[in-house]
Amino acid sequence: MDLITYYLKYYIIPFLLILTILLIIILLFKRIRYEHNKPLRESISNKAETFLTEMILSNPNEKTFRTKLSLFKTSIPLYKSWCKEMIINDMIRFKLSLKGKASEQINIFYQALQLDKYSAGLIQDFRSFYKCEGFHHFQALDYKKGSALIKPYLKHPNIVIRSNANMAYISLSENHMESLKEQSSGISHLNMIKIMDILHKKRIPIPKNIDQWIETSNISVTKLGLKIMVFYNYRNQAKGITALLHHEDDGLKKEAITAIRELFLLEAKNDLIQLFAKESTEIKWEILDTLKVIGDDSIVPFLENIIRTETNKEIKLKAVECLNEIDKTELNILAATDFDTTKMTKHVREIYL
């Protein structure tokens, strides 16, 4: 016990104290350095914005462009990495706010300042963070020439590098979307969101092999295929989407039900009704949510039966909500004979009750 006290008193506690003091000094030094460089950074950012604005709005000839470019390069410390990062970030902001030919001009300045070589250098760095930063530069600036540098990393063993490389390559090479159908590994939920975001921003044409996406054994690819079909309002695979209702994976089943609702596939109505009795509460909820959109008078008896016999209050409420959407008169008749149904009817019609 004395030995432990001795080590704590003379070694461990002094070491931790010194380490804490060093960390405080380092943080203070970084803060002081940041405040000292802040005016310079702001000045460089202002110069970059002024340069880009003048170049885009004035559309100068080649001689004027070279002169102004040379003046801009000598007015900032472009040889420093942090300065290059600042200029690239300014370009990305400009790119997002511009459209058409004005947006395309940003890449001319990106190359003229040789910032594309800086981004390429990041991709070739051994550290994954810098590689991903380089991918981001090419993707955000829509620098299609950079796709050749990204391609070797599409099957990289590091999942972070591989994921970011694929997102950037999809953005820069539209045909790469079709190859996702052959993906052997799973596509994470985050990557699905990123892919859908790319589709939304760039309006990439729907993959030519999209019909095959819902036939693959890779569930994540099938889910993504359904999302893409919904995004493009692609209704040619109504039969294939309906068949997925009988898949053993509940997540995929839910995605198929959502696709039926979003694509307004009336032909799937009977399949949903047949599926209802044997499914979990979560799937039942999704089915009723979809029938509320695609249902008609023909499903009224089905809904009436649920309202009369269902013991799960949440499902019964959802059935009441569905019937209220399709046939208010029939719901009034049911409500007149059952107190719970009366309360639920009032709730769906006046939600704050």
Side-chain angles (χ1 to χ4, degrees):
M1 191 67 178
D2 290 339
L3 186 62
I4 294 173
T5 305
Y6 174 80
Y7 274 105
L8 275 171
K9 185 176 179 180
Y10 294 102
Y11 291 97
I12 298 174
I13 292 176
F15 172 76
L16 291 174
L17 186 61
I18 292 168
L19 184 63
T20 303
I21 293 170
L22 283 173
L23 286 173
I24 292 170
I25 292 170
I26 290 169
L27 289 172
L28 283 172
F29 177 75
K30 284 190 172 183
R31 184 64 187 179
I32 292 167
R33 187 181 177 189
Y34 172 80
E35 291 297 331
H36 180 266
N37 290 331
K38 191 176 180 180
L40 175 62
R41 289 174 179 271
E42 289 177 352
S43 172
I44 291 169
S45 184
N46 290 335
K47 286 178 182 178
E49 287 185 16
T50 303
F51 169 74
L52 291 171
T53 303
E54 286 180 357
M55 291 294 99
I56 290 168
L57 294 179
S58 63
N59 195 19
N61 57 44
E62 187 175 345
K63 185 178 179 181
T64 306
F65 172 72
R66 287 178 181 273
T67 302
K68 290 194 173 185
L69 184 69
S70 179
L71 287 171
F72 175 66
K73 287 169 73 174
T74 55
S75 68
I76 61 172
L78 197 58
Y79 57 91
K80 292 183 178 290
S81 295
W82 61 262
C83 184
K84 291 176 182 176
E85 283 286 346
M86 280 188 66
I87 303 302
I88 290 172
N89 289 332
D90 281 336
M91 287 181 170
I92 290 171
R93 281 195 295 273
F94 263 76
K95 187 86 173 180
L96 292 172
S97 62
L98 297 170
K99 292 182 180 179
K101 290 184 179 180
S103 172
E104 292 170 8
Q105 282 184 281
I106 298 293
N107 283 359
I108 296 173
F109 311 138
Y110 180 59
Q111 286 182 275
L113 293 169
Q114 296 189 325
L115 294 172
D116 56 324
K117 292 182 180 178
Y118 170 73
S119 300
L122 292 177
I123 291 174
Q124 290 161 1
D125 194 286
F126 70 93
R127 290 162 290 190
S128 60
F129 172 80
Y130 289 107
K131 286 185 186 294
C132 294
E133 186 69 15
F135 298 152
H136 170 66
H137 289 170
F138 286 161
Q139 180 180 348
L141 290 167
D142 196 28
Y143 187 66
K144 297 189 185 298
K145 290 181 181 178
S147 60
L149 285 172
I150 297 172
K151 192 173 182 179
Y153 298 97
L154 297 179
K155 296 183 178 180
H156 197 278
N158 184 313
I159 189 170
V160 175
I161 294 173
R162 185 172 69 245
S163 170
N164 282 272
N166 271 280
M167 294 307 105
Y169 199 75
I170 287 170
S171 182
L172 298 173
S173 178
E174 296 173 359
N175 294 334
H176 182 56
M177 278 291 292
E178 295 180 12
S179 69
L180 286 179
K181 183 255 172 185
E182 307 300 331
Q183 184 102 351
S184 57
S185 58
I187 302 171
S188 70
H189 183 66
L190 178 60
N191 281 343
M192 285 191 193
I193 293 172
K194 288 180 180 179
I195 291 169
M196 296 310 296
D197 185 54
I198 291 169
L199 293 181
H200 179 74
K201 288 178 179 176
K202 303 201 66 178
R203 291 288 173 178
I204 295 172
I206 189 168
K208 294 178 182 178
N209 62 349
I210 192 64
D211 288 343
Q212 300 167 27
W213 286 42
I214 61 172
E215 298 170 359
T216 178
S217 58
N218 188 329
I219 290 173
S220 62
V221 170
T222 305
K223 285 182 180 179
L224 180 59
L226 290 170
K227 289 180 185 294
I228 292 172
M229 287 178 178
V230 168
F231 180 78
Y232 288 99
N233 196 30
Y234 183 80
R235 305 180 78 254
N236 293 7
Q237 265 294 334
K239 193 173 181 180
I241 294 171
T242 304
L244 291 174
L245 293 174
H246 306 287
H247 199 279
E248 59 185 13
D249 184 87
D250 276 359
L252 180 53
K253 201 179 293 183
K254 278 180 63 179
E255 198 69 53
I257 294 170
T258 301
I260 289 167
R261 179 168 66 246
E262 297 294 329
L263 293 172
F264 207 69
L265 301 180
L266 300 175
E267 50 269 66
K269 182 176 55 183
N270 291 332
D271 291 83
L272 289 171
I273 291 172
Q274 291 170 12
L275 189 70
F276 186 85
K278 57 185 178 182
E279 292 301 329
S280 65
T281 300
E282 192 177 5
I283 298 294
K284 284 180 178 180
W285 181 279
E286 290 292 332
I287 290 172
L288 289 170
D289 233 8
T290 299
L291 289 174
K292 186 172 72 173
V293 175
I294 67 171
D296 53 28
D297 291 345
S298 66
I299 71 165
V300 169
F302 165 72
L303 294 173
E304 288 176 335
N305 182 58
I306 295 173
I307 294 168
R308 286 195 186 100
T309 62
E310 183 61 57
T311 55
N312 185 306
K313 297 289 185 182
E314 290 183 2
I315 298 300
K316 183 172 180 176
L317 178 61
K318 181 57 73 173
V320 168
E321 185 183 325
C322 186
L323 184 56
N324 184 62
E325 193 72 27
I326 295 168
D327 193 332
K328 287 182 171 59
T329 303
E330 285 298 323
L331 180 56
N332 289 337
I333 294 169
L334 274 179
T337 60
D338 179 62
F339 181 66
D340 277 348
T341 306
T342 303
K343 288 196 298 182
M344 290 178 179
T345 302
K346 286 181 179 179
H347 176 71
V348 299
R349 289 177 181 173
E350 299 177 55
I351 197 164
Y352 294 109
L353 286 178

